[in-house]
Structures are given as structure tokens and as C-alpha cells.
Amino acid sequence: MYRTILRPIFLLAVMGLVSGQLIAQQERVQASCPMNIVIALDFSGSERAYLDEIRTVLLALTSSYELSETNLKIGIITFNRGAQRILPLTGETHKLDAAIEELRIPTTVYATDIHSAIEMANEEFRLRSIVGVPKFFVLVSDGDPHAHSRGYGFQEDLVNIDLLKAGDPDNEVEPVHVFTLYTGRLSPFQNRFSEEVRRASIRHMQTMASDPGSFFFYEQYPLLVEYFERIAHCL
């Protein structure tokens, strides 16, 4: 279903119909169809060079909508060594705006605890999301090159993301659809080992997404924005 919807979206985006700058300037609208979204942002040391990109994505995903307790709730998590709950799932727009305005990356921390962010997102959905409302997790990261350079430390990400995707029907915990957006280096390294690590990080982000159509490179973020716009308008 998700892949079918995303194909026409890609064509629209390629034609230039989606722009992060234009989205930020649009008047906020109420979502016609409900959804709950948790966005997790990588604030590790390896992402310092991509902070503008991360902020652009965050604003593009959030600035078009007026939040609502019944129709649209958004939460924000950041992570490096552990995860930080910047904004619990909320239907209050002023709280979202204040949280984004106050976002600051801490002193450089070379740790990328994606698993902690996923675990916190799972907790947010269990505690604050509405039963029956579609749930989405958006992971914005370079995929933990530190762990891939060691060859271990990323396996817990996969365990936690599978739990999030599957939910727990016996305990009335609903599944969550996962989007991943890669914000790391795109150009290949000349050094073979560094290049293998970069590719492994990208594959890791692809694996964590719910399906191949739910993984994006940074420059493709308008596709993700357009996807949520379509869902919000029941298209």
C-alpha cells in the first residue's frame, strides 16, 4: 500500500511541485484525516555538518499543520548517547513551535544510540497516541557509522525497530510504520574501509524502514513531506 502511494508522489516531486521553503511559508491547515507522528533526530557528532539539513527536514514536516489532539499529534526525540524526549506527542501547536525554536545540538558526542530513540518512540506511542489512529515514526540519521566501523553496536537498533513495526496485538499495541531519512555523506570515500562503513550505514537505514519505498536520501525529503500531506488530506 505505502509503496503504491509513493510512486506517483515521486513523479510529482521530480517535477518540482514540492519545496521545503514554500512549505515553511504556507498557512497552517488542519489535517482532515488523523495521524500520530514521532520524529527522531540524530544529534551525534557525525551529524554536526548536517544540522541545516536536519532542521530543514524538521520544519518541512511540521510547519504546514495546525496540531489537534484528535487529528494530528507530533512528538520529537533527539539522540546521541541515549535519547532525549524534546516534545512528548502533543496536539498543541505552540508547544511544537517552542520545542523546535529551542533545539540546540549539545557538545560533540560521538555516540549514535538509535536503539534508545526507537525505544522512547515506542513508549510515546504506547502512552500518548490514540488507538485506531495511523502511527508513523520518522528517523533522521546518518545510520551510525561509529558502530559500523567497529562491526557491532547496531544490532539492538534492528531488534527495537522490529518491535515498533510489529506492535503487540495481544496487549493492544498497534504497529507503527517507519520512515528513515539518511542525512550523512553522499559522496564516496577514496579510502576503502571508510567507504564500506558509509555504505553499511546507508544499508542500515534502508533495513530499518518499513519497506524500500519508505527510505529516503536527504534530497528526497520532499517526497516524505508530500506523503504526509496526502495522508492528512485523506488522499
Side-chain angles (χ1 to χ4, degrees):
M1 170 183 167
Y2 295 106
R3 205 173 307 171
T4 302
I5 293 173
L6 284 166
R7 285 192 186 116
I9 295 172
F10 178 79
L11 295 177
L12 289 173
V14 169
M15 293 169 63
L17 297 181
V18 181
S19 165
Q21 287 72 25
L22 291 176
I23 288 169
Q25 297 171 7
Q26 289 176 359
E27 185 177 350
R28 291 183 184 271
V29 297
Q30 288 277 358
S32 302
C33 286
M35 57 182 169
N36 291 168
I37 308 169
V38 173
I39 304 169
L41 308 172
D42 188 343
F43 270 20
S44 63
S46 61
E47 285 285 73
R48 287 188 68 85
Y50 302 97
L51 289 183
D52 287 344
E53 285 88 342
I54 291 173
R55 183 172 178 82
T56 295
V57 169
L58 180 60
L59 289 173
L61 287 171
T62 60
S63 62
S64 293
Y65 305 109
E66 190 71 34
L67 301 192
S68 162
E69 285 296 325
T70 55
N71 271 24
L72 177 60
K73 297 174 74 173
I74 292 178
I76 300 174
I77 293 168
T78 63
F79 60 95
N80 41 54
R81 181 167 290 110
Q84 298 78 42
R85 186 180 283 101
I86 301 301
L87 178 70
L89 267 171
T90 182
E92 299 182 63
T93 305
H94 71 278
K95 289 185 177 180
L96 172 66
D97 290 343
I100 293 175
E101 181 64 29
E102 294 170 7
L103 270 180
R104 300 289 184 274
I105 193 166
T107 304
T108 301
V109 179
Y110 286 98
T112 311
D113 290 349
I114 296 174
H115 64 277
S116 296
I118 299 168
E119 185 176 17
M120 185 172 287
N122 204 344
E123 182 179 286
E124 278 298 302
F125 286 119
R126 288 171 182 252
L127 292 177
R128 298 183 175 90
S129 64
I130 300 173
V131 175
V133 170
K135 296 165 178 56
F136 302 96
F137 177 59
V138 180
L139 174 65
V140 183
S141 175
D142 62 353
D144 199 355
H146 320 298
H148 283 95
S149 65
R150 295 192 303 266
Y152 65 90
F154 54 87
Q155 291 82 359
E156 193 172 351
D157 302 347
L158 302 177
V159 171
N160 284 2
I161 206 73
D162 284 344
L163 292 173
L164 186 69
K165 291 176 186 176
D168 185 358
D170 292 339
N171 291 302
E172 299 183 342
V173 176
E174 296 170 311
V176 176
H177 189 88
V178 177
F179 292 100
T180 61
L181 193 145
Y182 175 77
T183 51
R185 180 183 173 119
L186 293 176
S187 58
F189 285 99
Q190 294 299 315
N191 177 277
R192 181 178 176 181
F193 176 74
S194 297
E195 178 58 12
E196 288 177 353
V197 168
R198 186 187 74 89
R199 292 186 179 214
S201 296
I202 293 173
R203 287 195 301 271
H204 189 53
M205 292 290 284
Q206 291 170 328
T207 300
M208 287 189 289
S210 284
D211 54 56
S214 298
F215 165 80
F216 304 89
F217 289 103
Y218 168 72
E219 66 270 19
Q220 296 173 311
Y221 78 84
L223 304 180
L224 183 57
V225 174
E226 178 70 10
Y227 174 83
F228 281 123
E229 287 184 345
R230 289 171 65 88
I231 293 297
H233 293 94
C234 309
L235 299 177

